[in-house]
């Protein structure tokens, strides 16, 4: 029996050319969510589908007011579709999932039950993946280990869309590129309590996968961005200035070596490319430092124009007006 919850649940689903899966997914979701005896909504985001997905979604919304549909003007990608779902979700708990029937709605009560234990985010782990290719599974495992190592957020499956979030931890989060898979990292920055739970994973029956090997490259590039934001977003001068300092040291080393060649080996400056190389590396050093200063100005503008604090407070005591 599914555990009841008094909190409203929003299931958000990006859809791109999934016309053959939509109705079956809807039936499974309704069966699971009604069994939980809670208020719920299903938010479909049509990411510029070129098949009949839009028609199927409109039909569902006409017969069931709990089904909400967002249609994009064109294909913006999964991250944008997930962001739209989060922005328009009304629930206290938000559960994104794929529309291809590989995620199982029957896992939703287990994820919600984990949140009831005090967690803010429960991530699905496709322990027994049913993908067709060994290459996809192998590359995914390597990527997950790399992301966990670099970010410090230990998850076995960053790529699983099926997760449960408390809305408060993703409020204000803005996603770009392929950043949706890194939401647990953003959540950890907010102090979220994170856990992981094995979930079912089914083989795709209808349609074809939208993911290719090139997506792994995009993920790795986004990981560089995440690492930068985590460690240096508030002090970008440390990155650019550090690179400039290294470049300046290289430039000075080259110049001293060229000078040593001149006075001790009789090799004049004009006989080697070393002076030019020294000049280029020193120029690079100045450019890096100037970029660091510019980044510092941009960072301060970002925080000050939005009146955005560089810290988060969970609770206060003995201040006028506080409720706790």
């Amino acid at each position: 029996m599914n555990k009841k919850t008094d909190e409203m649940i929003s299931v958000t689903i990006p859809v791109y050319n999934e016309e053959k899966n939509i109705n079956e997914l809807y039936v499974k979701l309704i069966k699971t969510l009604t069994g939980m005896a809670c208020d719920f909504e299903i938010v479909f985001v049509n990411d510029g589908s070129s098949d009949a997905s839009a028609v199927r979604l409109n039909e569902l919304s006409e017969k069931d007011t709990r089904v909400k549909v967002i249609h994009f003007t064109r294909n913006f990608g999964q991250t944008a579709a997930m962001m739209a779902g989060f922005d328009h979700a009304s629930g206290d708990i938000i559960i994104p999932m794929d529309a291809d029937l590989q995620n199982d709605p029957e896992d939703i009560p287990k994820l919600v039950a984990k949140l009831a234990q005090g967690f803010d985010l429960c991530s699905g782990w496709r322990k027994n993946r049913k993908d067709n290719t060994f290459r996809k599974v192998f590359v995914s495992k390597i990527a997950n280990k790399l992301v966990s190592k670099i970010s410090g957020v230990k998850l076995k499956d960053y790529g699983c869309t099926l997760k449960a979030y408390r809305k408060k931890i993703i409020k204000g989060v803005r996603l770009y590129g392929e950043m949706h898979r890194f939401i647990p990292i953003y959540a950890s920055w907010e102090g979220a309590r994170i856990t992981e739970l094995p979930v079912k994973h089914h083989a795709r029956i209808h349609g074809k996968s939208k993911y290719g090997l090139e997506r792994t490259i995009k993920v790795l590039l986004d990981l560089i961005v995440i690492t930068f934001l985590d460690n240096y977003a508030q002090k970008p001068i440390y990155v650019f200035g550090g690179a400039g300092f290294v470049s300046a040291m290289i430039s000075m080393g080259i110049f001293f070596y060229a000078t040593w060649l001149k006075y001790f080996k009789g090799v004049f400056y004009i006989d080697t490319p070393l002076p030019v190389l020294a000049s280029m590396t020193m120029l690079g050093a100045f450019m890096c430092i100037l970029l660091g200063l510019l980044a510092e100005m941009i960072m301060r503008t970002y925080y000050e124009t939005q009146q955005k604090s560089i810290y988060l407070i969970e609770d206060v005591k003995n201040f006028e007006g506080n409720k706790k």
Side-chain angles (χ1 to χ4, degrees), residues 77-80 82-83 86 98 158-161 163 165 175-184 186 211 215 219 222:
Q78 187 178 12
T79 296
M82 289 186 67
M83 193 73 255
F86 293 161
D98 291 328
Y158 272 90
C160 182
T161 303
K163 293 178 172 66
Y165 305 94
L175 304 174
Y176 307 92
E178 301 289 336
M179 293 292 189
H180 64 274
R181 66 186 67 248
F182 297 135
I183 294 179
Y186 282 100
Y211 309 110
R215 194 157 192 154
V219 170
D222 282 335

Side-chain angles (χ1 to χ4, degrees), residues 159-216:
C160 182
T161 303
L162 184 59
K163 293 178 172 66
Y165 305 94
R166 292 200 178 279
K167 188 174 184 179
K168 64 181 182 180
I169 70 165
I170 56 175
K171 183 179 180 180
V173 171
R174 310 311 300 174
L175 304 174
Y176 307 92
E178 301 289 336
M179 293 292 189
H180 64 274
R181 66 186 67 248
F182 297 135
I183 294 179
I185 299 175
Y186 282 100
S188 71
W189 295 350
E190 304 291 328
R193 294 172 288 274
I194 302 171
T195 188
E196 193 170 33
L197 189 70
V199 296
K200 301 173 186 175
H201 190 245
H202 302 291
R204 174 183 274 273
I205 300 175
H206 304 294
K208 61 181 181 178
S209 175
K210 316 306 189 295
Y211 309 110
L213 188 60
E214 73 282 353
R215 194 157 192 154
T216 303

Side-chain angles (χ1 to χ4, degrees), residues 60-316:
L60 290 177
S61 65
E62 289 174 2
K63 74 175 185 179
D64 190 341
T65 56
R66 296 169 298 186
V67 175
K68 300 179 181 180
V69 181
I70 301 168
H71 294 289
F72 282 175
T73 57
R74 62 173 178 84
N75 178 245
F76 285 94
Q78 187 178 12
T79 296
M82 289 186 67
M83 193 73 255
F86 293 161
D87 289 341
H88 291 81
S90 304
D92 305 296
I93 296 173
I94 300 178
I95 301 176
M97 64 184 302
D98 291 328
D100 56 12
L101 295 176
Q102 291 192 273
N103 294 144
D104 196 324
E106 291 183 358
D107 287 317
I108 292 176
K110 295 190 299 182
L111 298 175
V112 174
K114 273 293 183 181
L115 298 189
Q117 295 176 13
F119 293 101
D120 300 303
L121 189 163
C122 183
S123 180
W125 168 27
R126 298 165 295 179
K127 190 173 182 178
N128 298 307
R129 291 188 62 171
K130 303 300 181 181
D131 295 291
N132 295 325
T133 62
F134 169 80
R135 180 184 67 180
K136 182 184 294 186
V137 176
F138 177 75
V139 172
S140 178
K141 287 184 177 180
I142 297 299
N144 286 319
K145 289 182 179 180
L146 182 62
V147 174
S148 294
K149 180 69 175 178
I150 293 176
S151 68
V153 181
K154 308 297 183 182
L155 293 178
K156 297 181 179 67
D157 191 358
Y158 272 90
C160 182
T161 303
L162 184 59
K163 293 178 172 66
Y165 305 94
R166 292 200 178 279
K167 188 174 184 179
K168 64 181 182 180
I169 70 165
I170 56 175
K171 183 179 180 180
V173 171
R174 310 311 300 174
L175 304 174
Y176 307 92
E178 301 289 336
M179 293 292 189
H180 64 274
R181 66 186 67 248
F182 297 135
I183 294 179
I185 299 175
Y186 282 100
S188 71
W189 295 350
E190 304 291 328
R193 294 172 288 274
I194 302 171
T195 188
E196 193 170 33
L197 189 70
V199 296
K200 301 173 186 175
H201 190 245
H202 302 291
R204 174 183 274 273
I205 300 175
H206 304 294
K208 61 181 181 178
S209 175
K210 316 306 189 295
Y211 309 110
L213 188 60
E214 73 282 353
R215 194 157 192 154
T216 303
I217 299 174
K218 295 178 181 178
V219 170
L220 293 177
L221 293 174
D222 282 335
L223 181 57
I224 295 175
V225 176
I226 286 291
T227 304
F228 173 80
L229 293 176
D230 185 18
N231 296 307
Y232 303 108
Q234 296 180 26
K235 291 301 296 180
I237 189 64
Y238 291 166
V239 173
F240 296 103
F245 178 79
V246 171
S247 183
M249 291 298 100
I250 293 174
S251 175
M252 292 174 64
I254 293 172
F255 175 75
F256 288 140
Y257 179 61
T259 302
W260 181 83
L261 288 176
K262 176 182 178 182
Y263 289 102
F264 294 96
K265 296 294 183 180
V267 180
F268 294 97
Y269 291 137
I270 198 171
D271 295 329
T272 71
L274 294 177
V276 176
L277 186 58
S279 299
M280 292 178 62
T281 50
M282 184 58 74
L283 179 61
F286 281 119
M287 292 180 64
C288 285
I289 293 173
L290 291 175
L291 281 173
L293 295 173
L294 180 60
E296 286 282 330
M297 294 173 64
I298 293 173
M299 180 273 296
R300 282 161 171 72
T301 301
Y302 168 74
Y303 281 105
E304 293 173 9
T305 57
Q306 299 183 71
Q307 296 183 342
K308 194 176 183 70
S309 176
I310 61 172
Y311 56 84
L312 297 171
I313 298 176
E314 182 177 0
D315 190 17
V316 295

Side-chain angles (χ1 to χ4, degrees), residues 11-109:
V11 180
T12 62
I13 307 171
V15 176
Y16 181 64
N17 293 344
E18 300 287 358
E19 59 176 328
K20 295 182 179 179
N21 296 319
I22 291 172
N23 287 332
E24 185 177 349
L25 176 59
Y26 166 77
V27 171
K28 290 182 175 181
L29 279 169
I30 293 298
K31 180 181 178 180
T32 297
L33 294 171
T34 52
M36 295 177 69
C38 63
D39 293 330
F40 68 87
E41 65 180 2
I42 304 172
V43 182
F44 288 101
V45 182
N46 176 27
D47 187 21
S49 298
S50 57
D51 62 0
S53 294
V55 176
R56 301 285 88 80
L57 294 175
N58 288 336
E59 291 172 351
L60 290 177
S61 65
E62 289 174 2
K63 74 175 185 179
D64 190 341
T65 56
R66 296 169 298 186
V67 175
K68 300 179 181 180
V69 181
I70 301 168
H71 294 289
F72 282 175
T73 57
R74 62 173 178 84
N75 178 245
F76 285 94
Q78 187 178 12
T79 296
M82 289 186 67
M83 193 73 255
F86 293 161
D87 289 341
H88 291 81
S90 304
D92 305 296
I93 296 173
I94 300 178
I95 301 176
M97 64 184 302
D98 291 328
D100 56 12
L101 295 176
Q102 291 192 273
N103 294 144
D104 196 324
E106 291 183 358
D107 287 317
I108 292 176

